Amino acid sequence: MVRKTPSWLEKAVFYQIYPQSFYDSNADGIGDIPGIIEKLSYLETLGVTGVWLNPCFVSPFQDAGYDVADYYKVAPRYGTNDDLKHLFAAAKERGIRILLDLVPGHTSVEHAWFKESQKQTPNPYTDTYIWNNSIWDMPQDDLQVVRGYGERDGGYVTNFFWFQPALNYGFAQTDPNHPWMQPVNAPGPQRVREEIKKIMAFWLDMGASGFRVDMADSLVKRDPHKQETAKFWGWIRDWMADTYPEAVLISEWGSPEKAISAGFHIDFMLGFNNPGWVSLFRKRGVGRWRDPYSWSFFDESGHGDIQQFLDEYLPYLDRTKGQGYIALITGNHDETPRLANGRSDRMMKLIYLFLLTMPGTPFIYYGDEIGMKSRDLPSKEGGYTRTGARTPMQWSDEENAGFSHATSDMLYLPVSDDPNRPTVAEQDKDPESILNRVRALIKIRRLYKALDAEADFEVAYAESGKLPFVYRRSKDGQKLMIALNPSAQSVSVILSPNLFDSLPEVVDAPKNAEFNRVQKGWKLTLGPVSGGVYKIS
Ligand code: NOJ
């Protein structure tokens, strides 16, 4: 079934805000919602049209808010529900839609439902979570079970850390030896589904424009082909299409063809599931993706191989065409190191040229637009190795990099200690900055329909071990060609004479890029770490 997609997604560029670290308006050391409202003009000048806000609800913050204790209430450290409502409205006035982070798979152990569920006496929440029948039952191989917590004679299934008990959506495959593995249509799982829908309606009614959905594929257990999980999302999508046709669902799934056919508008390519995405700019022998034997495509050595990405991406694109979008991200709150670590400014600009001319929906993680770097830091709120990518936004060279007027020891996380740390204020003034390049590229994306999310994509030149990488985008007769050279050496290629009829017109290319007609076709030469966008006919 092909479902309709809101038209605003055609041109959407998203920005991810980690609320703890964006802007602190009340000098308590932690970012907040009024702080985001103050910075809306910045987002507007950047040109983004959507924001994904990490969880901002009441929580004990053992996993930075992915352990929700009250889905209906903004955590006091970020402000009030009214502040959030104000943010929705103020952002919309500037053409920016705010999406919340929905955590449907698990709650905190501090959630009122779980406090009831762990009681020995049966009550309406007994089956809201997944409990086995006896504390002495040994855990099942594929399920993480916590034993010895609470009054109840049983262990509970968790989704992530021990304090994140899985909500009960039932099991696709039940087991007569374990009757506690309830079918999806049992009363407990049915009630959970209704509760999640109620939560979504609450925020959509208040003005939210949709949700990024945490661990979207995790809901129904023993669901190897994710069919039952997909049915749930299909039900939600159809309801949203009827009731909130402009609202959008984005999944943390990492499998676009599955997520989009389940009902999501957009799915991310992500480190844990997408080696092709990792091969773009996350292979560099450091951090989580330690792999000394291979190189990122965006590496000045020129040893990268775009084919690794294309082998994964092209089938996704083919199978999701006309139904939803793939999100290519610069990074997120789970990815360390940040994109800019170990990269030159010119390489950052080239990466943005790629991300902002590809199909689907680009996502910029706060700070990546100025090339903020991460560093190793002690864990904060369950961040562990992810913590370094969550430090305060660097606004200026004022105290605490302009993030907060609190004393520096009160800050949620320390600001970068690099004396050359990039800031918005300094990059704002510099026409050659990464920030101004991102702004210019977003403008180009908005100007050309051939760069729309669903405009066609075709590889024009991509050879393992060779450069550049060249692709075409087109829509309604408008055609663009994009060519990228990540290596520190100049490169040349002879493109087929059939690709276009007359000399391409420069939309955006460095002066040293050259196009010449030669006997066998068109010869393109690109200087070190550079790329161009051309109009072709
Ligand atoms: C994915 C989130 O992005 C991550 O930060 C969180 O820890 C887990 N899901 C658990 O909710």
Side-chain angles (χ1 to χ4, degrees):
M1 184 199 359
V2 176
R3 299 178 168 108
K4 259 189 81 188
T5 303
S7 58
W8 69 272
L9 285 181
E10 277 295 335
K11 290 262 169 231
V13 177
F14 271 83
Y15 190 79
Q16 181 191 344
I17 293 183
Y18 196 65
Q20 291 91 315
S21 297
F22 197 57
Y23 185 61
D24 171 19
S25 72
N26 60 355
D28 63 355
I30 189 157
D32 45 53
I33 293 168
I36 301 173
I37 297 173
E38 274 189 52
K39 296 293 183 187
L40 281 174
S41 61
Y42 169 71
L43 297 181
E44 195 181 5
T45 67
L46 187 58
V48 297
T49 51
V51 164
W52 152 29
L53 195 59
N54 284 100
C56 56
F57 312 106
V58 170
S59 163
F61 293 105
Q62 287 172 282
D63 183 15
Y66 283 96
D67 46 337
V68 179
D70 185 347
Y71 287 101
Y72 293 98
K73 197 165 176 235
V74 167
R77 72 189 204 179
Y78 298 133
T80 62
N81 283 16
D82 274 347
D83 291 331
L84 190 51
K85 189 173 176 181
H86 182 186
L87 172 63
F88 295 147
K92 237 170 238 169
E93 273 172 27
R94 293 176 187 269
I96 300 170
R97 291 171 160 90
I98 306 286
L99 274 71
L100 299 176
D101 206 317
L102 179 74
V103 189
H106 49 269
T107 68
S108 157
V109 287
E110 301 286 313
H111 196 288
W113 299 341
F114 191 74
K115 287 186 181 163
E116 286 301 306
S117 194
Q118 61 79 39
K119 287 185 180 159
Q120 205 171 353
T121 326
N123 63 59
Y125 296 94
T126 297
D127 292 330
T128 298
Y129 297 84
I130 309 168
W131 294 85
N132 67 16
N133 275 346
S134 154
I135 199 71
W136 310 120
D137 262 8
M138 280 303 130
Q140 304 292 310
D141 291 345
D142 57 333
L143 301 168
Q144 306 174 52
V145 176
V146 168
R147 303 187 307 138
Y149 185 95
E151 294 172 8
R152 190 167 163 167
D153 179 19
Y156 63 84
V157 172
T158 71
N159 251 6
F160 200 68
F161 292 138
W162 71 267
F163 47 78
Q164 288 161 316
L167 284 161
N168 184 13
Y169 289 81
F171 285 70
Q173 295 167 352
T174 50
D175 179 346
N177 297 320
H178 298 289
W180 54 270
M181 297 182 179
Q182 300 174 349
V184 292
N185 57 4
Q190 286 302 310
R191 177 165 176 187
V192 166
R193 288 165 156 73
E194 292 294 342
E195 291 290 350
I196 293 298
K197 193 170 163 188
K198 252 170 64 187
I199 293 163
M200 296 175 82
F202 178 81
W203 293 110
L204 292 169
D205 286 341
M206 200 180 281
S209 294
F211 302 91
R212 173 269 187 187
V213 177
D214 189 66
M215 295 176 71
D217 66 329
S218 72
L219 306 188
V220 177
K221 304 301 182 214
R222 299 230 165 133
D223 187 16
H225 305 296
K226 305 288 174 195
Q227 274 165 337
E228 289 297 332
T229 302
K231 271 192 214 159
F232 170 73
W233 290 118
W235 175 66
I236 292 285
R237 167 74 179 262
D238 292 339
W239 159 73
M240 272 176 57
D242 284 346
T243 323
Y244 308 95
E246 289 291 288
V248 163
L249 275 180
I250 306 174
S251 49
E252 186 200 27
W253 195 313
S255 190
E257 84 276 24
K258 284 200 187 116
I260 288 166
S261 70
F264 285 91
H265 298 88
I266 300 174
D267 186 36
F268 297 110
M269 285 176 86
L270 292 165
F272 60 79
N273 217 24
N274 303 116
W277 177 78
V278 171
S279 77
L280 284 174
F281 28 65
R282 300 235 155 227
K283 286 195 174 181
R284 48 192 159 170
V286 289
R288 253 169 85 194
W289 312 115
R290 189 176 291 275
D291 186 356
Y293 302 107
S294 53
W295 304 83
S296 292
F297 173 68
F298 288 99
D299 190 283
E300 296 200 13
S301 67
H303 293 334
D305 179 0
I306 196 63
Q307 215 54 56
Q308 291 179 40
F309 169 71
L310 293 174
D311 285 349
E312 183 174 79
Y313 180 76
L314 291 176
Y316 283 157
L317 193 64
D318 189 45
R319 290 183 211 138
T320 56
K321 183 97 186 127
Q323 300 172 60
Y325 303 124
I326 300 166
L328 293 177
I329 62 174
T330 62
N332 68 24
H333 61 293
D334 294 331
E335 297 285 347
T336 43
R338 273 190 184 257
L339 185 62
N341 283 45
R343 291 220 154 79
S344 60
D345 285 10
R346 63 180 184 173
M347 183 62 91
M348 288 296 285
K349 293 183 203 168
L350 185 69
I351 290 175
Y352 278 111
L353 176 61
F354 165 73
L355 289 174
L356 292 166
T357 55
M358 286 293 285
T361 318
F363 271 70
I364 301 170
Y365 182 49
Y366 83 96
D368 281 348
E369 75 278 23
I370 54 169
M372 252 171 76
K373 295 188 170 73
S374 57
R375 66 187 157 129
D376 289 343
L377 285 175
S379 181
K380 174 87 177 182
E381 296 187 345
Y384 300 97
T385 53
R386 309 174 290 184
T387 306
R390 302 176 173 186
T391 57
M393 178 69 177
Q394 294 156 202
W395 293 104
S396 68
D397 56 11
E398 286 163 31
E399 59 169 342
N400 302 321
F403 161 69
S404 167
H405 292 296
T407 54
S408 60
D409 59 320
M410 283 171 70
L411 298 187
Y412 176 77
L413 280 171
V415 291
S416 160
D417 57 1
D418 176 359
N420 297 319
R421 65 187 178 209
T423 65
V424 169
E426 155 230 334
Q427 293 208 3
D428 218 11
K429 289 183 287 188
D430 175 5
E432 300 299 317
S433 66
I434 306 174
L435 175 62
N436 280 321
R437 182 69 180 141
V438 173
R439 286 175 173 152
L441 287 167
I442 292 180
K443 279 200 189 112
I444 292 175
R445 187 174 178 95
R446 287 169 103 167
L447 209 58
Y448 289 91
K449 57 186 170 187
L451 297 177
D452 283 1
E454 59 94 63
D456 287 339
F457 173 88
E458 260 175 295
V459 172
Y461 181 83
E463 295 264 335
S464 279
K466 291 192 185 156
L467 289 168
F469 168 41
V470 187
Y471 50 97
R472 285 200 293 185
R473 302 288 320 275
S474 55
K475 185 173 173 179
D476 300 341
Q478 185 182 78
K479 289 186 209 156
L480 295 181
M481 191 189 80
I482 296 103
L484 307 170
N485 171 26
S487 96
Q489 312 297 320
S490 291
V491 296
S492 290
V493 64
I494 300 197
L495 298 170
S496 150
N498 308 328
L499 276 176
F500 30 85
D501 301 331
S502 54
L503 195 66
E505 186 187 313
V506 174
V507 171
D508 182 282
K511 289 196 185 66
N512 61 358
E514 272 178 41
F515 251 113
N516 295 305
R517 188 83 173 97
V518 291
Q519 214 185 356
K520 289 192 197 136
W522 298 94
K523 184 172 175 197
L524 166 67
T525 304
L526 284 174
V529 197
S530 69
V533 182
Y534 301 88
K535 203 165 173 189
I536 54 178
S537 51

